[in-house]
Amino acid sequence: MSTKRRETPAGTVRWLDADEERAWRAFRRIMIAVQTGTAHDLAEAGLSEADYEVLSTLSERPGHTSGLGEQAAKMGWSRSRLSRHATRMEARGLLRRAPDASDGRGCLLVLTDDGMAALREAAPAHLASVRRHFIDRLTPDDLAAIERIARHLEPG
């Protein structure tokens, strides 16, 4: 099937054919449904998805510490956006900032005991949510296909 093309001021646009359009819309519906469900369940534990991502990443790092820039890149956020979010998490006692000796302009995010406690409390409910909204709805073949597709979509 040929893809429609149309000249625009920005150049030629390759429009999606019917199969591509259905696949794109299905992907978006999946992302929204899973993300909405897990975000709602995390909110009941008093955490946002971003809070959980930061806390879980820090819990896996040596010294429970990560550079702000590294964490921002992992989340696909700008440093300033994560910095503002970290300020709110710091005010709640979930993390603290420390100077980054390797980057005079940067800082390190350090998981606090309260942050670890919040993560430990939220983790079982979050895992149950991931199962309910995603894992348990798919077959092992579906999960393998998602992993294969993800490898094609990873940056770099």
Side-chain angles (χ1 to χ4, degrees):
M1 179 182 293
S2 124
T3 304
K4 292 188 289 184
R5 294 176 187 267
R6 186 176 79 185
E7 195 67 31
T8 68
T12 301
V13 175
R14 286 184 55 216
W15 296 98
L16 302 179
D17 66 28
D19 292 339
E20 292 167 336
E21 179 77 16
R22 280 192 307 276
W24 172 245
R25 289 179 185 269
F27 172 76
R28 294 292 303 149
R29 284 192 309 273
I30 291 165
M31 291 296 301
I32 291 166
V34 172
Q35 204 164 26
T36 300
T38 57
H40 177 267
D41 293 344
L42 271 174
E44 289 181 3
L47 296 175
S48 68
E49 289 179 292
D51 292 340
Y52 195 87
E53 179 69 22
V54 171
L55 295 175
S56 63
T57 298
L58 292 176
S59 76
E60 297 165 352
R61 299 291 310 229
H64 296 163
T65 302
S66 178
L68 181 101
E70 181 182 354
Q71 182 66 35
K74 181 182 186 296
M75 295 175 70
W77 284 17
S78 68
R79 289 171 64 112
S80 62
R81 180 179 179 191
L82 180 57
S83 181
R84 288 188 301 274
H85 189 81
T87 296
R88 292 187 296 273
M89 291 181 73
E90 191 172 24
R92 293 165 47 210
L94 300 173
L95 59 79
R96 66 179 175 79
R97 294 175 197 239
D100 185 347
S102 68
D103 179 359
R105 297 179 325 144
C107 71
L108 299 172
L109 303 178
V110 183
L111 184 63
T112 62
D113 290 342
D114 286 349
M116 181 61 90
L119 179 62
R120 283 189 180 129
E121 186 174 317
H126 179 60
L127 292 171
S129 179
V130 169
R131 286 197 165 284
R132 182 172 57 258
H133 296 289
F134 184 69
I135 300 294
D136 292 345
R137 294 176 174 214
L138 302 172
T139 67
D141 287 343
D142 293 335
L143 295 172
I146 289 171
E147 285 185 81
R148 182 180 48 77
I149 292 165
R151 284 192 296 275
H152 292 287
L153 300 177
E154 289 173 352

